[in-house]
Structures are given as structure tokens and as C-alpha cells.
Amino acid sequence: MFGLDKSEFFEALHSEFEEAKSKRTSSAVVVCRFLRDGNVERARLALSRCFEPADQKFHELLTRMGELLAREQTTNEQEQAQ
């Protein structure tokens, strides 16, 4: 179905997801530190350059994982029905 071993494919996707999650968290911490220090301009800059792209990537991967898991479940159900 995936052209690769499914477990390897899902493992690679999960690894990419965890990396995106980590970048998003790190970016959020940077934004919060700037805000805590009263540096709103730097917080705004970090938000637009770091957090928003990392957050978008995180959500894209989350959606992709959900779609693939749903497709896999449908395939398994169809195979069991046969």
C-alpha cells in the first residue's frame, strides 16, 4: 500500500511529527520569554518567523497521520470482511 514497509513508514512519519512538535514547543517558549521580558516586537517577530511555521507543520503532519491511519483502518476492515 505505501511502497515501503508500513511499520517503517509510520515510524518515519511519527519521528517527523515529534520533531515538528518539539520545534513548535521550543518556538513557543522563545515567544513567551520575549513577552515576559517585555519585548513585544521580538516576540511578534519570533511568532511569525518560528512558531507559526512550526505550528502549521505540526498540524499538517497531524492531519496526514490521521488520514493515513483512517485509510489503514478502512483497508483492514475491508480485508476482514472478505
Side-chain angles (χ1 to χ4, degrees), residues 49-63:
R49 286 191 179 171
C50 302
F51 179 78
E52 290 171 355
D55 190 52
Q56 181 179 358
K57 178 72 172 178
F58 171 81
H59 286 291
E60 287 171 2
L61 287 168
L62 187 61
T63 300

Side-chain angles (χ1 to χ4, degrees), residues 34-65:
F34 285 140
L35 288 173
R36 182 192 65 206
D37 295 341
N39 197 332
V40 176
E41 266 318 299
R42 289 187 89 182
R44 191 174 293 137
L45 186 61
L47 183 66
S48 65
R49 286 191 179 171
C50 302
F51 179 78
E52 290 171 355
D55 190 52
Q56 181 179 358
K57 178 72 172 178
F58 171 81
H59 286 291
E60 287 171 2
L61 287 168
L62 187 61
T63 300
R64 191 166 135 204
M65 284 179 70

Side-chain angles (χ1 to χ4, degrees), residues 10-21:
F10 280 114
E11 190 175 306
L13 183 59
H14 182 35
S15 176
E16 190 176 349
F17 172 77
E18 287 298 321
E19 183 179 331
K21 183 176 161 183

Side-chain angles (χ1 to χ4, degrees), residues 1 4 8 10 12 14 20 22-23 29 33 37 48 56 60-61 63 68-70 75 78-79 81:
M1 177 178 172
L4 300 172
E8 290 175 359
F10 280 114
H14 182 35
S22 176
K23 285 181 182 178
V29 169
R33 284 183 181 157
D37 295 341
S48 65
Q56 181 179 358
E60 287 171 2
L61 287 168
T63 300
L68 289 171
L69 290 172
T75 301
Q78 289 173 348
E79 288 174 356

